[in-house]
Amino acid sequence: MGVPTGEPTWLGRADRPLAAWVHTPDSGHAAGVVVLVPSFGREQELAHRSFRRLARDLALAGFAAVRFAWTGSSDSGDLADDDAAADVWVDDLNAVLDEVSTWTDAPVQVVGLRVGALVAGRALSRAPRPRVVSLLQWDPPAGGRIFLRQERALLMSLETRSTLPEGQHGGMGIIYTAAHAESLRGLTFEVPAADGLDVAVVGRDGIGLPRSVQKSVDAAGVRTWDVAGQDAMLEAPEGAVVLASTE
């Protein structure tokens, strides 16, 4: 049996195309569809290899796995300076879920990493989908505001610092406009409460979940566990150069 390779394609609306990769079982028959929802910026690039490996493993296990890139990243459409980034990404995920739901009658599962966990939580809270049977929120930050602070702190730790125009927010290899940053600051951790939706939340081994996230998780009564090796997935090896991937 060969290793299922992802087929590049486009998902979403014609006016806002999303670069995507679909991994399918060799048999051509999938037990279900798993949509992998990435983080953004440097985290998206660092986790790219892990997401690709996960997609391949899912295909070997008999599932169709879908990876995609947000508007404003990779080969997807551009994010306009005045776009509310969080709302655009919720629309992106909805467009992906709309499309994959037309492929098969099999159940759909969603795995959201970091900011992707926040976006997935918001999307499924606002518009429950009967075909989506499970959501795994993987290492979610407390909210978009904390994510931006972490991005900024990492950037400022470098020797070379740049001055940004007023209102803009810098991250590793990316600049968020005032509109982008304002939208992301309003992005919070949400646990969807749709009937029939199984939700689980994964934290980092030895660190766990942010306090506010843990409080929400406890109130909702959803399953949680910590995973070892999480840090290695989101940290570049010493001496490595992280490049934007097109695979």
Side-chain angles (χ1 to χ4, degrees), residues 175-193:
I175 295 176
Y176 302 93
T177 68
H180 300 163
E182 181 180 1
S183 175
L184 289 173
R185 290 187 188 104
L187 191 58
T188 59
F189 176 77
E190 300 178 49
V191 178

Side-chain angles (χ1 to χ4, degrees), residues 156-209:
M156 294 301 292
S157 69
L158 301 178
E159 293 182 4
T160 302
R161 303 180 183 182
S162 58
T163 302
L164 296 175
E166 184 176 356
Q168 291 189 350
H169 189 102
M172 290 293 294
I174 190 168
I175 295 176
Y176 302 93
T177 68
H180 300 163
E182 181 180 1
S183 175
L184 289 173
R185 290 187 188 104
L187 191 58
T188 59
F189 176 77
E190 300 178 49
V191 178
D195 291 339
L197 179 66
D198 183 23
V199 180
V201 183
V202 174
R204 298 193 188 199
D205 187 40
I207 298 177
L209 299 168

Side-chain angles (χ1 to χ4, degrees), residues 53 61 133 185 200 210:
R53 176 63 182 270
V133 299
R185 290 187 188 104

Side-chain angles (χ1 to χ4, degrees), residues 92-209:
D92 285 349
L93 178 54
N94 282 330
V96 172
L97 293 175
D98 285 342
E99 191 150 345
V100 301
S101 294
T102 68
W103 297 350
T104 175
D105 292 331
V108 177
Q109 302 179 68
V110 176
V111 177
L113 174 67
R114 299 286 291 157
V115 166
L118 302 183
V119 174
R122 173 172 288 190
L124 293 175
S125 292
R126 291 182 174 181
R129 293 170 172 270
R131 291 283 303 283
V132 177
V133 299
S134 70
L135 167 64
L136 178 65
Q137 293 174 289
W138 187 355
D139 192 23
R145 185 182 299 273
I146 298 300
F147 172 76
L148 288 173
R149 286 178 182 171
Q150 292 170 342
E151 287 270 279
R152 181 63 174 170
L154 186 59
L155 180 65
M156 294 301 292
S157 69
L158 301 178
E159 293 182 4
T160 302
R161 303 180 183 182
S162 58
T163 302
L164 296 175
E166 184 176 356
Q168 291 189 350
H169 189 102
M172 290 293 294
I174 190 168
I175 295 176
Y176 302 93
T177 68
H180 300 163
E182 181 180 1
S183 175
L184 289 173
R185 290 187 188 104
L187 191 58
T188 59
F189 176 77
E190 300 178 49
V191 178
D195 291 339
L197 179 66
D198 183 23
V199 180
V201 183
V202 174
R204 298 193 188 199
D205 187 40
I207 298 177
L209 299 168

